[in-house]
Amino acid sequence: MKSTYLFFWLSFLLIACQETPEFPDPKFDSTDTRIYEVRRDTADFVSLECFIDVPNGIDRIEILEGRSYEVLKVLEEYRGMKELEFNYQVDISDVVRDSSLAYIVKVYDLKYRTYNKAFMVRVKRFSAPEIILEGGEIIATDVDAFSIRATLMTGMIPIRQVRLTVDGERLELPAVEDDVTEYQLNYRLPLRRQKEYSVQILLEDMDGRRTTKTIKIFKVREMEKPVKILCGGRMSYEVLLEYDEQNRISLIDVLNHYKFQIVYDEIKGKEVIRSISQSGYDLENPDYISYVFNYDTAGILQNVTEAWGSAMTYHIGQCLYDKEKLNGFVAGAVVVTQIAYEDIAGIGEVMSEVWGTAFATTQEKDRIRATDFQTMKIPTYLKQLPYSLFVPFKVGILFQDVFLSPYVYLKMVKYLDSSVVLNNFSYKTDEEGRLSSLTRTSVGAGSDGRAIVYDYQFVYKDTVLPEN
């Protein structure tokens, strides 16, 4: 009986499947977004091209604007065709600036099925000299040298000359090679006196077109420090900063999350941080952790302990030195050696290793370091901490980006392979030349498919914040 019942249902399913009509979907040569890049010097039109396979026959094809989905054109001349080398010209003659145009080609077949393919057209404006500065046009600094960095581009027309003047005096630059359309300017300017330096960059192409940029650099006695940091992107924090009578950060208050109290000391005339104590806002679970930095009699850091309640462990068990330069450390069973440093022209060496995890879990393959340092100082740097050997239990990324590096850097890379870039950084200055924003952007995508961004806005006593 069971076998008869099973045979009946199998027969029914077989007949049903045989009688089900086939309506294959129309399809394109690929499902990827097709991207075109074109400069206005070379084209007034861009062709959207693809192969279309429509077994049931084409009814019509629609061209849609890729963001608003507005139907721009309905094409009915392909009706009945089953295979088509599609080519549709987009007019870009009215594009006068760098633009990104999005389109969708939508195919309807005679069985009422549809299929889409996306196109992206990146249009670069007509060639013209362009100077892109790193940072801003007004800089305030208390360092003795500043690197003037800029990317100079002329599109498709080669560069004729690049000229750099400071207070009206022309400076010598490396010669521009023949037929070059892009030039990286990196000039270290000594700042010997507290004054305003007027810097002008001139770029001229072979057609005689010119553009200039003027930078004002103010050499000041001491950098102004912010009173607040607004964190956006992946983490949203408001950080209040308090200073002691010597203008050192004494309290870092991550509002409604954590507070970090900093205690200073002096050993042999050297200012050092003795402890950083973390506490939470939740009274039932205050997250109180005390990090203590222990030094020898000469003020050389020896180890770092962390105490949570009555339990005490080593944050860093032992610091390893080559003469007086930190070369490594011991944390639990982990031994780290050959800590990364980078030389900043005119300033000297800075420790560039970045600690992304607790020290005791450090693995060689996961080590990372900062590179491409600028001469723009980060005003919240805790300079009394001899080395950045501090990864707080909470908000570690905030500390790494804002408090543990003396200078802005533009890249974070793999320790073992500097060609593997993990994060890019950018910064801006305000009208007073102060660091106003610092942004970290991941090269890889997060779980939502988009880059992970951390953005820090530095707020000073006279900063006027934009209205929401």
Side-chain angles (χ1 to χ4, degrees):
M1 180 67 183
K2 287 184 179 179
S3 59
T4 304
Y5 182 78
L6 180 60
F7 174 78
F8 170 79
W9 277 109
L10 288 174
S11 300
F12 176 80
L13 289 173
L14 179 61
I15 293 170
C17 290
Q18 287 176 341
E19 292 180 351
T20 300
E22 290 189 8
F23 298 124
D25 287 333
K27 60 185 178 181
F28 294 91
D29 47 10
S30 75
T31 57
D32 297 335
T33 299
R34 186 151 295 169
I35 299 174
Y36 299 98
E37 293 190 0
V38 63
R39 185 174 282 279
R40 282 290 288 109
D41 303 62
T42 62
D44 290 327
F45 294 89
V46 174
S47 294
L48 308 183
E49 300 177 349
C50 61
F51 177 75
I52 304 175
D53 180 15
V54 188
N56 296 314
I58 296 172
D59 177 56
R60 68 186 186 276
I61 298 175
E62 292 180 349
I63 310 298
L64 287 73
E65 201 286 323
R67 296 184 178 90
S68 67
Y69 303 109
E70 175 189 357
V71 177
L72 305 176
K73 188 81 172 179
V74 178
L75 306 173
E76 298 182 331
E77 58 265 37
Y78 304 109
R79 183 175 175 82
M81 296 182 65
K82 296 186 176 182
E83 291 186 351
L84 174 64
E85 290 285 353
F86 183 73
N87 184 317
Y88 180 81
Q89 286 200 325
V90 175
D91 187 349
I92 59 170
S93 59
D94 60 346
V95 177
V96 295
R97 63 186 65 182
D98 289 352
S99 303
S100 180
L101 311 176
Y103 299 94
I104 295 172
V105 174
K106 187 171 187 176
V107 179
Y108 293 79
D109 72 9
L110 295 171
K111 297 294 184 180
Y112 310 109
R113 299 199 174 194
T114 63
Y115 207 66
N116 302 334
K117 183 172 180 63
F119 292 81
M120 182 70 69
V121 181
R122 295 171 181 160
V123 184
K124 289 188 174 293
R125 62 187 174 88
F126 283 103
S127 294
E130 183 179 12
I131 299 172
I132 302 174
L133 294 174
E134 197 68 66
E137 297 181 19
I138 304 175
I139 303 294
T141 182
D142 58 5
V143 299
D144 294 329
F146 190 85
S147 290
I148 301 165
R149 297 180 52 147
T151 300
L152 288 65
M153 299 179 293
T154 52
M156 300 184 70
I157 312 300
I159 295 172
R160 172 177 286 167
Q161 68 163 323
V162 175
R163 186 185 300 171
L164 179 66
T165 60
V166 176
D167 295 336
E169 179 184 350
R170 184 171 179 175
L171 304 177
E172 289 295 325
L173 294 174
V176 179
E177 298 179 3
D178 294 340
D179 298 323
V180 167
T181 59
E182 184 171 323
Y183 182 92
Q184 296 295 330
L185 175 64
N186 188 355
Y187 187 89
R188 184 176 64 85
L189 177 66
L191 305 175
R192 297 186 179 90
R193 292 186 295 151
Q194 290 183 23
K195 62 182 285 283
E196 176 188 336
Y197 295 81
S198 179
V199 179
Q200 187 179 76
I201 305 169
L202 179 144
L203 172 63
E204 181 182 8
D205 69 15
M206 294 301 290
D207 285 350
R209 293 176 296 184
R210 293 183 170 191
T211 188
T212 61
K213 283 279 189 182
T214 299
I215 308 169
K216 294 186 181 296
I217 302 176
F218 296 91
K219 173 69 181 293
V220 297
R221 186 177 64 84
E222 185 179 13
M223 297 280 289
E224 186 177 348
K225 296 185 178 182
V227 295
K228 182 190 298 186
I229 302 170
L230 301 176
C231 309
R234 173 56 67 93
M235 58 183 181
S236 181
Y237 295 129
E238 182 176 352
V239 182
L240 299 183
L241 303 173
E242 293 184 11
Y243 297 86
D244 63 16
E245 64 279 359
Q246 298 180 49
N247 205 26
R248 303 172 302 192
I249 295 177
S250 58
L251 179 67
I252 300 169
D253 187 353
V254 186
L255 283 180
N256 299 316
H257 293 279
Y258 307 98
K259 294 180 181 180
F260 295 86
Q261 190 83 40
I262 302 174
V263 175
Y264 296 88
D265 198 356
E266 185 174 310
I267 303 174
K268 296 285 186 180
K270 180 192 297 185
E271 278 190 341
V272 296
I273 288 178
R274 176 59 72 183
S275 67
I276 301 177
S277 299
Q278 171 190 309
S279 59
Y281 272 75
D282 188 344
L283 296 178
E284 294 182 2
N285 184 19
D287 281 339
Y288 184 84
I289 306 174
S290 181
Y291 302 89
V292 177
F293 301 86
N294 300 302
Y295 306 85
D296 66 10
T297 56
I300 306 299
L301 184 66
Q302 299 299 299
N303 58 61
V304 184
T305 61
E306 58 179 90
W308 192 340
S310 59
M312 190 278 285
T313 60
Y314 280 99
H315 200 55
I316 294 287
Q318 180 185 357
C319 294
L320 307 175
Y321 290 91
D322 180 4
K323 297 180 180 178
E324 291 190 359
K325 177 181 176 180
L326 183 72
N327 186 50
F329 60 81
V330 178
V334 171
V335 179
V336 171
T337 59
Q338 297 182 323
I339 285 177
Y341 288 82
E342 186 157 323
D343 185 64
I344 305 177
I347 293 175
E349 259 191 350
V350 296
M351 182 173 164
S352 61
E353 190 109 8
V354 177
W355 311 109
T357 62
F359 296 109
T361 62
T362 302
Q363 297 186 46
E364 194 76 3
K365 65 182 180 64
D366 295 328
R367 288 172 66 179
I368 52 181
R369 64 183 181 87
T371 187
D372 202 1
F373 278 82
Q374 310 293 284
T375 45
M376 186 70 202
K377 289 181 77 172
I378 298 178
T380 46
Y381 170 59
L382 298 173
K383 66 179 182 179
Q384 293 83 5
L385 196 61
Y387 300 98
S388 60
L389 297 182
F390 179 53
V391 178
F393 181 64
K394 304 289 185 180
V395 293
I397 290 177
L398 165 67
F399 266 81
Q400 190 65 62
D401 291 347
V402 174
F403 297 107
L404 299 181
S405 176
Y407 297 93
V408 171
Y409 48 82
L410 299 184
K411 292 179 182 178
M412 194 178 286
V413 300
K414 283 282 191 180
Y415 174 88
L416 295 175
D417 185 357
S418 61
S419 68
V420 180
V421 180
L422 304 174
N423 296 285
N424 288 310
F425 290 76
S426 61
Y427 72 99
K428 294 179 182 178
T429 58
D430 64 15
E431 294 179 352
E432 301 297 322
R434 304 168 298 197
L435 183 65
S436 59
S437 73
L438 178 65
T439 303
R440 172 206 282 231
T441 306
S442 69
V443 172
S447 58
D448 59 358
R450 296 182 295 179
I452 301 171
V453 176
Y454 295 91
D455 180 68
Y456 309 97
Q457 301 293 322
F458 295 81
V459 180
Y460 300 86
K461 288 181 179 178
D462 61 351
T463 299
V464 178
L465 295 175
E467 295 183 4
N468 293 331

